[in-house]
């Protein structure tokens, strides 16, 4: 098939392969628009199984029904924040082969279709669909639910306290134990995040998930005990545990690569036992663990752990502590050191950590603008909230700090 050029010459229409090459540079919105204006591209989009397999939206677009109709059975991965029931039901009707679904956050969502055989599901920030979770868990490998972030639980910037209060009220109305139901239904889970589950639940049932490798239970203050942690620690593939703000002080954890014990009652003696049992530990967050202080740094350094992340905020670190950190973990990428009592020259030592990209250094005192500029040249993200400055920072520095958050 040929067409006329502007000069009257007959030239061939683009081949299917040429169309495919061009379309690879478009995002889903571009592809949908190009499909509407070109019959040849329309055929390419419809006939090629490689296009529109993955869709990502921050909000449900006005053209979502058309796009889902076009993607049809090809769609296997969908990410959509602030989804609603109508959109999700349309997905269920048009995309039966969906495998990976991220709806975080979608606070207005009240249904969760059970027709899919999902492997990944992220419904953080969605409070109204917990009773549906067990019905979509059979094939799940990765599941995240609860709050989205501590500072922004539902994506609408409500407080963590108000969000948890709503979840507790919903639980009191039904007393549905979502943790026990998931432990029964999702036997093949590899990763599980249960964020902000402060009310009672059967967390001990998680010890039956023999394939579990990553477990996050922040704020599980009613139901997670040292005995339950001991049982969970026996899972053969477990390598990452987050017990932030839980009422625990355990010595049983072993063979971990990641551990978060921030805001717990973790003691120095149990910390020594755990790190000795976890020689490959790369992530260790101890921020504001009330029974610990800066003296644990020396025992951590003796273990020669291959740390890439270290959280020791609230320990009142001194200049000599930052020097020890820089000497002991030169490959550190993420450091939490809030409420340190270091000087600006002491803080400058951190510029020797060439891999450092994330620095949480809130509530410092006598902070010097020059040192901060040096750090900003190196890190990707920095938190300097509630710091006291030796002199008020310039507008340029304030803008630079805001850009790095």
């Amino acid at each position: 098939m040929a067409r006329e050029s502007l000069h009257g010459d007959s030239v061939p229409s683009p081949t299917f392969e040429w169309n495919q090459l061009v379309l690879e540079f478009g995002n889903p919105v571009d592809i949908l628009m190009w499909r509407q204006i070109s019959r040849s591209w329309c055929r390419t989009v419809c006939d090629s199984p490689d296009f529109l397999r993955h869709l990502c939206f921050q909000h449900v677009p006005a053209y979502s029904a058309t796009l889902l109709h076009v993607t049809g059975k090809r769609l296997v991965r969908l990410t959509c924040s602030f989804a609603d029931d109508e959109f999700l039901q349309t997905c269920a009707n048009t995309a039966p082969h969906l495998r990976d679904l991220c709806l975080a956050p979608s606070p207005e969502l009240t249904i969760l279709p059970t027709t899919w055989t999902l492997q990944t599901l992220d419904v953080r920030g969605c409070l109204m669909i917990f009773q549906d979770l067990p019905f979509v868990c059979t094939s799940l490998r990765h599941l995240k639910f609860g709050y989205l972030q501590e500072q922004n639980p539902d994506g609408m910037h409500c407080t963590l306290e108000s969000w948890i209060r709503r979840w507790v009220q919903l639980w009191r109305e039904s007393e549905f134990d979502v943790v026990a139901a998931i432990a029964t239904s999702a036997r093949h889970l590899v990763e599980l995040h249960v964020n902000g589950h402060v009310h009672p639940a059967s967390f001990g049932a998680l010890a039956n998930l023999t394939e579990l490798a990553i477990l996050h239970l922040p704020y599980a203050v009613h139901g997670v005990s040292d005995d339950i942690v001991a049982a969970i620690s026996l899972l053969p593939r477990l390598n990452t545990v987050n017990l932030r703000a839980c009422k625990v002080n355990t010595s049983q954890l072993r063979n971990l690569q990641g551990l978060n014990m921030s805001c717990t009652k973790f003691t120095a003696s149990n910390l020594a036992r755990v790190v000795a049992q976890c020689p490959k530990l790369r992530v260790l967050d101890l921020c504001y663990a009330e029974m610990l202080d800066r003296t644990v740094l020396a025992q951590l350094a003796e273990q020669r752990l291959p740390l890439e992340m270290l959280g020791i905020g609230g320990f009142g670190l001194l200049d000599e502590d930052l020097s020890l950190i820089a000497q002991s973990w030169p490959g550190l990428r993420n450091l939490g050191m809030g409420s340190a009592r270091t000087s600006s020259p002491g803080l400058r030592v951190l510029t020797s950590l060439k891999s450092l990209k994330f620095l949480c250094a809130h509530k410092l005192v006598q902070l010097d603008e020059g040192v901060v500029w040096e750090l900003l040249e190196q890190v990707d993200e920095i938190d300097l909230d509630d710091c006291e400055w030796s002199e008020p920072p310039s507008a340029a520095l304030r803008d630079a700090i805001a850009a790095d958050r």
Side-chain angles (χ1 to χ4, degrees):
M1 181 178 179
R3 63 179 178 84
E4 294 293 319
S5 71
L6 293 176
H7 301 285
D9 302 322
S10 180
V11 295
S13 295
T15 63
F16 182 88
E17 289 75 15
W18 186 89
N19 285 336
Q20 275 192 311
L21 181 62
V22 174
L23 286 168
E24 286 176 359
F25 291 93
N27 59 43
V29 177
D30 295 331
I31 293 173
L32 184 63
M33 294 176 63
W34 296 342
R35 170 183 175 271
Q36 292 174 328
I37 64 174
S38 169
R39 284 182 295 175
S40 64
W41 280 1
C42 178
R43 287 193 298 270
T44 304
V45 171
C46 292
D47 295 343
S48 174
D50 297 324
F51 289 116
L52 302 177
R53 290 172 56 84
H54 307 157
L55 297 180
C56 181
F57 307 117
Q58 290 191 349
H59 291 82
V60 177
Y63 51 83
S64 61
T66 301
L67 185 54
L68 289 171
H69 176 74
V70 173
T71 59
K73 296 181 179 180
R74 286 176 290 182
L75 188 62
V76 295
R77 182 182 303 161
L78 173 64
T79 299
C80 183
S81 303
F82 301 99
D84 55 27
D85 292 351
E86 181 181 0
F87 173 76
L88 203 58
Q89 192 58 59
T90 302
C91 292
N93 295 335
T94 58
H97 301 308
L98 198 65
R99 293 293 177 269
D100 302 317
L101 179 60
C102 176
L103 300 169
S106 293
E108 302 301 321
L109 199 65
T110 65
I111 66 168
L112 192 59
T114 60
T115 56
W116 293 307
T117 306
L118 295 173
Q119 295 182 355
T120 301
L121 178 61
D122 186 347
V123 287
R124 290 171 299 161
C126 311
L127 267 178
M128 308 299 292
I129 47 81
F130 289 159
Q131 295 201 32
D132 292 337
L133 284 178
F135 301 103
V136 298
C137 280
T138 305
S139 58
L140 277 182
R141 305 285 286 171
H142 308 270
L143 174 61
K144 299 179 182 180
F145 70 98
Y147 63 67
L148 177 68
Q149 300 170 341
E150 284 189 46
Q151 299 80 8
N152 188 13
D154 64 349
M156 303 292 287
H157 299 286
C158 75
T159 65
L160 181 61
E161 181 182 356
S162 64
W163 190 89
I164 287 178
R165 190 182 300 116
R166 288 173 55 204
W167 191 359
V168 171
Q169 181 59 40
L170 290 172
W171 170 75
R172 284 174 176 166
E173 293 172 1
S174 65
E175 295 194 359
F176 175 63
D177 190 338
V178 64
V179 175
I182 288 171
T184 300
S185 303
R187 292 293 187 175
H188 302 291
L189 275 179
V190 173
E191 178 180 11
L192 176 62
H193 296 235
V194 187
N195 297 342
H197 195 303
V198 302
H199 43 286
S202 302
F203 288 99
L206 300 178
N208 296 320
L209 300 178
T210 57
E211 298 180 38
L212 198 63
I214 300 171
L215 179 61
H216 289 251
L217 300 175
Y219 290 89
V221 294
H222 294 289
V224 174
S225 64
D226 289 338
D227 289 340
I228 288 176
V229 173
I232 292 174
S233 70
L234 299 176
L235 291 171
R237 300 183 183 181
L238 193 66
N239 62 55
T240 300
V241 174
N242 178 355
L243 298 173
R244 172 172 169 76
C246 293
K247 296 179 180 179
V248 293
N249 175 31
T250 181
S251 63
Q252 301 301 311
L253 296 166
R254 55 180 60 82
N255 299 323
L256 297 181
Q257 297 179 26
L259 176 61
N260 187 337
M261 294 293 287
S262 60
C263 301
T264 64
K265 297 184 179 298
F266 208 23
T267 61
S269 58
N270 279 347
L271 170 63
R273 294 188 186 97
V274 169
V275 296
Q277 295 163 175
C278 302
K280 297 181 179 180
L281 200 63
R282 294 182 297 104
V283 174
L284 179 60
D285 192 343
L286 304 171
C287 288
Y288 298 95
E290 59 186 78
M291 306 301 291
L292 302 178
D293 57 36
R294 52 180 290 270
T295 60
V296 302
L297 266 176
Q299 76 179 48
L300 289 176
E302 291 177 0
Q303 294 293 332
R304 299 184 180 276
L305 300 170
L307 291 180
E308 298 175 8
M309 184 278 170
L310 176 61
I312 43 175
F315 285 20
L317 300 181
L318 305 178
D319 288 355
E320 61 195 73
D321 300 321
L322 296 189
S323 296
L324 179 59
I325 290 170
Q327 295 168 8
S328 303
W329 301 288
L332 207 62
R333 295 177 51 81
N334 187 333
L335 175 63
M337 49 166 289
S339 302
R341 301 197 301 269
T342 58
S343 66
S344 289
L347 196 59
R348 185 174 279 111
V349 171
L350 298 182
T351 60
S352 67
L353 296 172
K354 300 306 180 183
S355 298
L356 189 66
K357 298 301 177 185
F358 306 95
L359 178 62
C360 181
H362 55 265
K363 297 183 179 180
L364 302 188
V365 296
Q366 295 299 306
L367 200 56
D368 178 72
E369 179 162 336
V371 175
V372 174
W373 277 118
E374 293 178 37
L375 290 170
L376 286 173
E377 292 180 0
Q378 179 172 335
V379 301
D380 294 333
E381 293 184 20
I382 191 168
D383 174 8
L384 296 174
D385 286 350
D386 302 318
C387 288
E388 297 180 11
W389 296 78
S390 56
E391 294 184 8
S394 64
L397 181 59
R398 291 197 300 268
D399 291 343
I401 293 172
D404 264 27
R405 297 204 57 182

